[in-house]
Amino acid sequence: MKLQADALHITRSGKKVLDGVSFSLKAGEIYALLGGNGAGKSTTLLSFLGFISPDAGSVRVNEKDVYSDIEAARKAIAYLPESASLYEHLNAYENIDYFLQLAGLSLSKSSIDEALDRVSLKSEAREQKLADYSKGMCQKVTIALAMLRDTDILLLDEPTSGLDPSAIDEFHQLVRSLADAGKAILMVTHDVYGACNVADKIGLLYNGKLMQEFNAQTEKINTETVHKAFSTTVATQNS
Ligand SMILES: Nc1ncnc2c1ncn2[C@@H]1O[C@H](COP(=O)(O)OP(=O)(O)O)[C@@H](O)[C@H]1O
Ligand SMILES: [Mg+2]
């Protein structure tokens, strides 16, 4: 297994945020964690990076307990946070170069161009400051950056929020091709249809509990069924 949560319990500011969450994913799989606001999705991702330690249970990366070697876990993972923090006064190359350096990497302009080609960021935009970019263009830069880290594991926190439908489709195709190339991808989303389209497994998180899991490898995932299960839990949570 590339990622594994086992009976994970987490408390933040005195509140139980994750309540016995268990799931796992292998190389080549896309797992979509679906849930409403405050369900505990981002907390789950942060625990794999060793930022929030469990009260009970465990998180494993490459079969190894995250908290026994946090550095090893972080090295194995590229993480796309909920709100990407790129620099507006720098262009795409400069942003990527800067963040790769922070990760201890230095790559040629041609490898950066290759990644920017894969996310289809127009060549004429690459030397422009990000202040002039749309949300979708910024997202392409962060995805290219995550790809250039060339890790086995990607954690994506609401990667499609704010993207238009064609950018979402394009993004899902890219994610699929990364999984087909052997990466394990854990993706957090509100988007039921997107999750059903792209994911091999879907976990429904509600109030810190994994209520239900759908597995496209063993059953055909029916979008209506997932949507119904999702809206029932979210509706309950918000009432
Ligand atoms: N920085 C924080 N400090 C303390 N508690 C937090 C913090 N962020 C989130 N929480 C708590 O954790 C719960 C789950 O948050 P989060 O994992 O961000 O949910 P999601 O990503 O599903 O919207 C929230 O309802 C909130 O109570
Ligand atoms: Mg979140």
Side-chain angles (χ1 to χ4, degrees), residues 70-136:
I70 290 179
E71 282 318 303
R74 289 185 189 163
K75 265 211 177 92
I77 291 172
Y79 166 57
L80 209 89
E82 207 168 342
S83 42
S85 46
L86 299 170
Y87 288 106
E88 289 210 319
H89 63 285
L90 300 179
N91 69 34
Y93 295 117
E94 292 162 342
N95 265 289
I96 289 177
D97 200 44
Y98 175 75
F99 285 102
L100 285 177
Q101 276 189 40
L102 288 185
L105 292 169
S106 169
L107 296 175
S108 66
K109 185 158 182 280
S110 67
S111 358
I112 297 177
D113 270 320
E114 222 169 273
L116 291 173
D117 289 342
R118 283 195 72 186
V119 298
S120 353
L121 183 76
K122 294 187 297 256
S123 347
E124 56 274 24
R126 297 177 191 178
E127 310 245 16
Q128 284 170 19
K129 293 192 190 338
L130 266 62
D132 298 330
Y133 276 34
S134 66
K135 161 120 195 180

Side-chain angles (χ1 to χ4, degrees), residues 51-218:
F51 286 118
I52 307 173
S53 42
D55 305 327
S58 67
V59 269
R60 291 172 165 271
V61 171
N62 287 323
E63 306 278 342
K64 215 162 140 193
D65 188 89
V66 169
Y67 292 87
S68 72
D69 190 348
I70 290 179
E71 282 318 303
R74 289 185 189 163
K75 265 211 177 92
I77 291 172
Y79 166 57
L80 209 89
E82 207 168 342
S83 42
S85 46
L86 299 170
Y87 288 106
E88 289 210 319
H89 63 285
L90 300 179
N91 69 34
Y93 295 117
E94 292 162 342
N95 265 289
I96 289 177
D97 200 44
Y98 175 75
F99 285 102
L100 285 177
Q101 276 189 40
L102 288 185
L105 292 169
S106 169
L107 296 175
S108 66
K109 185 158 182 280
S110 67
S111 358
I112 297 177
D113 270 320
E114 222 169 273
L116 291 173
D117 289 342
R118 283 195 72 186
V119 298
S120 353
L121 183 76
K122 294 187 297 256
S123 347
E124 56 274 24
R126 297 177 191 178
E127 310 245 16
Q128 284 170 19
K129 293 192 190 338
L130 266 62
D132 298 330
Y133 276 34
S134 66
K135 161 120 195 180
M137 289 163 78
C138 288
Q139 193 67 332
K140 287 178 174 180
V141 177
T142 55
I143 295 158
L145 181 58
M147 283 164 47
L148 284 162
R149 288 274 319 281
D150 199 25
T151 55
D152 289 352
I153 302 166
L154 289 165
L155 302 183
L156 312 173
D157 202 342
E158 303 198 19
T160 57
S161 73
L163 297 188
D164 66 46
S166 75
I168 290 177
D169 275 350
E170 221 177 291
F171 175 75
H172 284 152
Q173 280 170 28
L174 179 67
V175 169
R176 186 73 259 170
S177 73
L178 293 172
D180 289 345
K183 296 195 190 286
I185 299 168
L186 175 59
M187 187 172 108
V188 158
T189 182
H190 297 291
D191 172 15
V192 176
Y193 294 96
C196 291
N197 253 332
V198 75
D200 298 299
K201 290 180 185 166
I202 297 176
L204 222 60
L205 196 63
Y206 165 65
N207 264 351
K209 284 197 167 82
L210 201 65
M211 306 298 284
Q212 216 172 331
E213 206 173 65
F214 301 89
N215 185 343
Q217 291 149 343
T218 55

